Structure formats: structure tokens, C-alpha cells
Amino acid sequence: MKLIRLLIIIFSFYIMACHSNSQEKPDAEQKTTAEAKEPGPITLVIHGGAGTIKKENMTPERELAYREKLQQALNTGYAVLENGGTSLDAVTETIQILEESPLFNAGRGAVFTSDGKNELDASIMNGATGEAGAVAGVTTLKSPILAARTVMEKSPHVMMAREGAEAFAKEQGLEIVDPSYFYDENRHNQLQKLKENQEKDGTAYLDHHPDYKFGTVGCVALDAQGNIAAGTSTGGMTNKKWGRIGDSPVIGAGTYADNNTCGVSSTGHGEYFIRYVVAYDIAALMKYKGLSLEEAAKEVVMQKLVEKGGTGGVVALDRQGNVAMPFNTAGMFRGYIKEKDKPMVFIYKDEN
Ligand code: ASP
């Protein structure tokens, strides 16, 4: 009898021990989940185009206007992230600030096609899910980046073009404007100047011209949840032929985002960025070759593109919030923000 009682006592202790162990486990699990949810670093990086941007060709007023607009864009995106917003919202809102400014070749202030029109391209990608959206050759959508995002979120497609994209955007309630909304006199003069050059020396694009800069806008953001998003918006290249589509709406060339590697937005001579799949190539070098963000971005922009004669640059960031902004032109409007009220903005080559 004594022995049986002893066995019962031992068994009860055993059951209690098991029970308390099994209670510890969810606690431990909860702890790791809580740790995983701890907000991470937030970072945002932007560009406003690369090209022949030299101090001697810039007036102090114009330079200040660029710096202030870039700072405003960075502060806007940072505020979204700081308030717990997603990287997708930060990218969309930041790019909208730049689209609305005639200083940049996107939205208002877009460059002109050879037949004197503004045809806009944009794309956006969600690095958490791999979803992407793009519009190409649109002429009446006030915010091409928002249209790209709407294609991503509200359609089964990735890229929509011209009248089809416009009809879809209208159906979704996006703001439609008259094509004259995008008109900017300076841009129009650039087209005239280029046409004269073309007659004189056959220069087809302004990128060989000393005054030339691209002016496309782009943004990559990392939110507190560790999600990366990237977006790009442009009017393309001055004097482009009717229907020409550049790299900006091409996922993998102008825009790419993957939480496991990086987010990238490109600017430059689009034909080269498409051929050499620039944005994806940077992510692929990180993924398959184990390069750091800085190494991968430099290899593509400063080596591969330079060897092929492709001018331009990229802005990129990784999950740790590291930022890379290489360019192989004289300058690139660029900047990043990692701390509230501390937007860092650069234009020329020798600024850091
Ligand atoms: N990449 C753009 C394009 O080729 C131009 C630019 O970056 O400014 O359309």
C-alpha cells in the first residue's frame, strides 16, 4: 500500500513538472514574438535624377530650391514612417511631393517627347510580398506613382499602359488632369534646344549635352516592421519618340524591392538600365554572391554600366537601414533620412 502511495506521489510530481514546462514554452514563444515585433530602424532614401549637374551651371537660388524640395520630401516620408506608416505609404507620399514640383522630371515638369507631349511612366514594388505595379505612357494621370500603386493593389496585373491605364485609373477614382497640367516652359525650351542640336550634330538625347540632367524621381523606404518598398516616377527622356517606354516602369530595371536583400530606384539612360536589369542585378549580387549593399550597388553602377556606356545612378537601402547612392554622372540629386528633422541632401559628386 505504502509503495502504491509513493508511486502516486511521484507520478503527481511528474505531471506537475510537465505542466509547468508546457506553460513555460508559450511564454518563451511569446517573448520571441514580442522581440520580433520590436520596431526596427526606419530609413528613407530618395533621388531627383542624375546627370550633368555642376555647381558652375547652377544659380544659388536654384540650388537652394532643389535642396529645400528634397528636404521636404524626406521629412514627409519620414513622418509617415515615424507614425507607424508602411514603407509603401512613405514611398507614395514622398514621390508625390516631387511629382508636384516642376523642378523634377516627373508629374508636373516632366520632359517632352519629340512631338511635344508629356508621357509619364512610374512603378512601385512591395518588398514584403513581391507585389508590384506600373503605368507607362500616361498623359492625364495627376500622380503616376499613385496610379502604379493602384494597379498593384486593385488590378490582377503588374503593368498597364496608355489609354487602358488611364481608363482603369479613372474607374478607380484617381485624379485626372488635362495634359497641359504637366507643361513647363523650361522643359519645352530643352526640347527646342535639343531639336536644334539634332539638326546640327545628330545628338538624339540630351545626355551627351553639357546641360543635361535626367531628373526622374525615386524613393526607397524601410519601415519599423522591416518592410522595404521602392518606387520611381518620370517623364522619361527629352525628345523620346512617341510610345518610347524607359526603365522607370520596368520592375527589375528602374525599381526593385525584396525584404531579404534591398530596395532600389534607378535614374539614368533607361535603355541601358533595362538591358542590364540594373535594380534586380544589385539585389541578385547580394543574394547569390553575398555582397553588401554598398558593394553590389557600386559594382553595377560604377563598373558594369560604365563599361557599357550607361550613364546614371541608383538609390538603395537594405533591411538594416544601410544606404547606397552611387552614380557615374557629374551629379545626382539625392538624400536620405534616418533621424527626425535630420534630412541629408546632396547634389554634386564631391559632397558626402
Ligand atoms: N531613366 C529615365 C528613362 O530613361 C530617365 C531618367 O532617369 O531621368 O526614362
Side-chain angles (χ1 to χ4, degrees):
M1 225 25 205
K2 258 191 180 171
L3 185 67
I4 291 177
R5 218 181 285 152
L6 190 67
L7 280 174
I8 288 174
I9 291 170
I10 292 172
F11 186 62
S12 319
F13 271 117
Y14 175 67
I15 296 285
M16 274 165 63
C18 286
H19 186 65
S20 71
N21 263 348
S22 70
Q23 281 198 332
E24 261 166 30
K25 218 172 154 205
D27 267 348
E29 264 167 19
Q30 262 169 17
K31 210 171 160 200
T32 18
T33 328
E35 270 165 13
K37 282 200 177 142
E38 192 94 335
I42 58 180
T43 308
L44 190 115
V45 60
I46 59 174
H47 69 75
T52 319
I53 308 163
K54 291 186 180 158
K55 204 170 177 76
E56 56 264 34
N57 302 331
M58 189 82 93
T59 62
E61 297 75 32
R62 204 163 166 75
E63 183 177 319
L64 186 67
Y66 274 108
R67 290 192 192 274
E68 284 179 351
K69 193 47 81 176
L70 291 168
Q71 282 167 356
Q72 184 195 346
L74 286 168
N75 287 333
T76 302
Y78 193 83
V80 173
L81 297 174
E82 204 192 14
N83 293 327
T86 64
S87 49
L88 274 176
D89 282 343
V91 165
T92 312
E93 290 185 32
T94 304
I95 290 185
Q96 282 181 315
I97 298 277
L98 301 170
E99 281 179 340
E100 279 164 24
S101 163
L103 291 172
F104 302 96
N105 168 21
R108 257 177 88 203
V111 298
F112 284 84
T113 63
S114 62
D115 56 357
K117 298 207 175 99
N118 305 111
E119 296 184 357
L120 313 168
D121 301 333
S123 65
I124 193 161
M125 186 162 188
N126 181 345
T129 61
E131 289 168 309
V135 292
V138 293
T139 59
T140 61
L141 303 184
K142 186 176 180 199
S143 173
I145 194 67
L146 186 60
R149 181 156 174 195
T150 310
V151 169
M152 173 172 84
E153 290 175 344
K154 303 280 168 51
S155 88
H157 308 301
V158 169
M159 190 192 281
M160 296 176 86
R162 304 183 60 82
E163 297 83 355
E166 288 169 350
F168 168 75
K170 197 170 174 189
E171 213 178 272
Q172 294 294 325
L174 265 54
E175 194 169 345
I176 308 294
V177 291
D178 186 84
S180 61
Y181 168 82
F182 301 109
Y183 181 89
D184 177 73
E185 204 180 332
N186 287 333
R187 296 290 187 204
H188 203 255
N189 294 342
Q190 279 181 349
L191 176 68
Q192 303 315 326
K193 196 165 166 186
L194 183 58
K195 288 201 163 195
E196 284 162 24
N197 284 345
Q198 199 172 10
E199 269 171 31
K200 269 191 258 154
D201 60 16
T203 315
Y205 286 129
L206 273 176
D207 67 324
H208 300 299
H209 193 274
D211 290 344
Y212 193 67
K213 60 178 171 48
F214 293 103
T216 289
V217 307
C219 175
V220 190
L222 169 70
D223 65 30
Q225 277 66 48
N227 292 323
I228 298 174
T232 312
S233 181
T234 190
M237 292 180 79
T238 305
N239 204 28
K240 66 182 182 181
K241 292 264 182 283
W242 189 91
R244 178 265 189 188
I245 308 286
D247 60 313
S248 308
V250 178
I251 296 300
T255 300
Y256 191 72
D258 174 7
N259 276 0
N260 299 312
T261 50
C262 63
V264 182
S265 170
S266 312
T267 178
H269 195 154
E271 278 67 12
Y272 291 85
F273 283 69
I274 296 175
R275 286 187 203 128
Y276 301 105
V277 205
V278 165
Y280 178 72
D281 200 23
I282 294 171
L285 283 171
M286 293 176 72
K287 184 165 181 174
Y288 300 117
K289 229 178 159 186
L291 297 195
S292 70
L293 178 81
E294 182 73 30
E295 291 165 342
K298 260 198 184 156
E299 178 158 338
V300 176
V301 175
M302 308 309 282
Q303 285 180 37
K304 285 190 176 183
L305 276 179
V306 170
E307 276 162 28
K308 304 293 179 186
T311 44
V314 302
V315 294
L317 61 71
D318 66 15
R319 205 173 184 162
Q320 285 72 47
N322 296 310
V323 162
M325 308 185 290
F327 55 97
N328 60 34
T329 47
M332 179 166 85
F333 296 107
R334 62 200 187 280
Y336 65 84
I337 184 162
K338 287 168 183 267
E339 262 177 89
K340 191 178 162 65
D341 297 329
K342 289 209 177 127
M344 308 296 291
V345 164
F346 313 93
I347 301 178
Y348 312 108
K349 207 174 220 158
D350 45 9
E351 278 180 85
N352 270 311

